[in-house]
Amino acid sequence: MRSVEVELKLSVKPDAIPAVRQQLFQFPHHYFSPQHLTNIYFETPDNQLRRWDMGLRIRGFDEHYEMTIKTAGKVLGGLHQRPEFNVPLHHPELDLAQFPAHIWPENTDITQLQDQLTALFSTDFTREKWILNHGQSEIEVALDQGVIRSGHRTAAICEFELELKKGNVADILLLADKLALQEGLRLANKSKAARGYALAYGLTQTDLSQVPETLGWQQPLSVLLPEILAQWQEQEEGWLAGIPEGKTGLEQVLVWVEQLTEQQVEALPVFGSLPALKEALSAVNADAETLCYSASWLQCKLALTQWLIAQAR
């Protein structure tokens, strides 16, 4: 079965979870008790699926299994959109022939590909879930807490995942904006799978690309916004990873945002918190965890993402 997954990930600090959970219960909702999920991700020795920008997993829950493949998609300001295909299984064993033939590159030998696949990493987490009616849409909000494992390497999972089940993309951003009133949330750009691949290959962020001092301001807003948000996310991830240059890069990104709001006064919202964010970031003792998980920081990024989605319509 094919669908296009549209979701937003919010990394959350553990001590912020109770307040966000309480907020979710205030919306019209249908609640699902915590469920234990295991996922095994597969890859070939030469990373063929990764080179095709595909991700393959088998998920197990309550003695039921599902095989999923996600194909090439796009990320707009932290909003993930990827086609995915799901097939129920009786046993946790790969059967690639059950996927539609058209998803594979031309002349792919499915039998040979399946013979080369092995387990690369796994995710093991508890999922607590709410189905909310918000605006004109039905949105699934999941709280995932657990661990990613690859050999002896591990990484924690602690995030809220907002997925649009039906309705409008704008509503998922409006919901995220309401949740962003709480401190301790951050827009996350990496899926569990992307983090798992990085863990499996021992990839750690050690350097950052330098942020240019200026942008091509003659470009349309639909081009400028993705560039600004992509740089914001990259520099933020670097600063949180302990790379000092990330802070410098973020200072330049906020200058861009300020310049953009001055030039696009009729199109973009006025960010009242922007001067305070710039001041907090420029402080000598600025702390990455404190600032990047602050409500005003997240609200500013979500506002830009909302305008980006509006431009993409």
Side-chain angles (χ1 to χ4, degrees), residues 13-311:
K13 288 189 171 183
D15 59 3
I17 290 174
V20 180
R21 287 183 74 259
Q22 184 175 16
Q23 190 177 8
L24 289 170
F25 279 114
Q26 304 309 309
F27 295 101
H29 69 277
H30 183 51
Y31 176 71
F32 296 82
S33 300
Q35 181 182 55
H36 182 238
L37 301 176
T38 58
N39 297 277
I40 303 173
Y41 289 78
F42 298 85
E43 186 54 277
T44 66
D46 62 351
N47 302 321
Q48 182 62 76
L49 294 181
R50 198 65 173 159
R51 287 188 282 117
W52 287 338
D53 196 17
M54 288 181 164
L56 174 66
R57 76 179 183 214
I58 290 180
R59 167 169 289 178
F61 53 96
D62 296 340
E63 298 185 359
H64 295 279
Y65 302 96
E66 184 178 67
M67 181 175 61
T68 297
I69 192 161
K70 297 186 180 184
T71 58
K74 58 183 177 180
V75 179
L76 294 174
L79 191 72
H80 299 246
Q81 301 180 65
R82 295 192 72 181
E84 68 171 40
F85 299 83
N86 302 295
V87 175
L89 298 174
H90 295 294
H91 306 285
E93 299 173 357
L94 289 174
D95 187 2
L96 299 188
Q98 292 200 51
F99 289 127
H102 69 81
I103 70 171
W104 305 107
E106 190 175 357
N107 298 323
T108 299
D109 186 328
I110 301 301
T111 301
Q112 183 180 34
L113 176 63
Q114 180 164 310
D115 289 342
Q116 294 175 339
L117 290 166
T118 57
L120 183 63
F121 63 91
S122 65
T123 61
D124 190 342
F125 58 93
T126 298
R127 167 164 289 180
E128 188 176 7
K129 194 165 66 176
W130 295 257
I131 301 292
L132 304 182
N133 294 316
H134 190 69
Q136 304 299 312
S137 303
E138 183 179 276
I139 299 169
E140 178 183 291
V141 181
L143 169 59
D144 294 341
Q145 299 181 83
V147 66
I148 305 171
R149 291 190 179 89
S150 180
H152 65 280
R153 301 188 182 100
T154 62
I157 297 171
C158 193
E159 64 186 24
F160 282 96
E161 187 174 279
L162 285 62
E163 182 176 349
L164 183 66
K165 306 306 288 186
K166 60 182 179 181
N168 306 315
V169 174
D171 286 334
I172 201 172
L173 290 165
L174 291 173
L175 175 60
D177 202 43
K178 290 184 178 180
L179 298 181
L181 296 172
Q182 304 289 344
E183 300 286 336
L185 292 167
R186 186 180 73 85
L187 197 60
N189 207 36
K190 294 181 179 178
S191 65
K192 297 180 187 68
R195 295 179 63 206
Y197 281 110
L199 195 69
Y201 299 132
L203 303 178
T204 56
Q205 194 167 6
T206 57
D207 57 10
L208 283 171
S209 58
Q210 187 173 358
V211 178
E213 294 184 2
T214 187
L215 290 174
W217 295 108
Q218 75 285 356
Q219 301 176 95
L221 198 58
S222 58
V223 175
L224 290 171
L225 280 173
E227 185 170 350
I228 290 173
L229 282 164
Q231 283 285 359
W232 189 331
Q233 199 71 29
E234 181 182 353
Q235 301 301 317
E236 180 180 312
E237 294 281 355
W239 191 28
L240 285 165
I243 304 172
E245 290 79 9
K247 179 176 181 289
T248 305
L250 285 171
E251 290 173 345
Q252 181 60 57
V253 169
L254 291 190
V255 169
W256 286 350
V257 175
E258 186 176 56
Q259 292 173 340
L260 190 63
T261 55
E262 291 172 354
Q263 295 181 27
Q264 302 279 348
V265 290
E266 295 183 358
L268 285 171
V270 176
F271 299 109
S273 61
L274 190 56
L277 288 179
K278 289 181 65 181
E279 182 179 357
L281 183 61
S282 63
V284 175
N285 62 344
D287 177 69
E289 288 281 332
T290 300
L291 189 55
C292 295
Y293 278 89
S294 68
S296 55
W297 187 267
L298 176 56
Q299 288 164 357
C300 190
K301 290 179 74 176
L302 285 172
L304 287 175
T305 303
Q306 287 168 350
W307 280 100
L308 173 57
I309 297 302
Q311 289 292 314

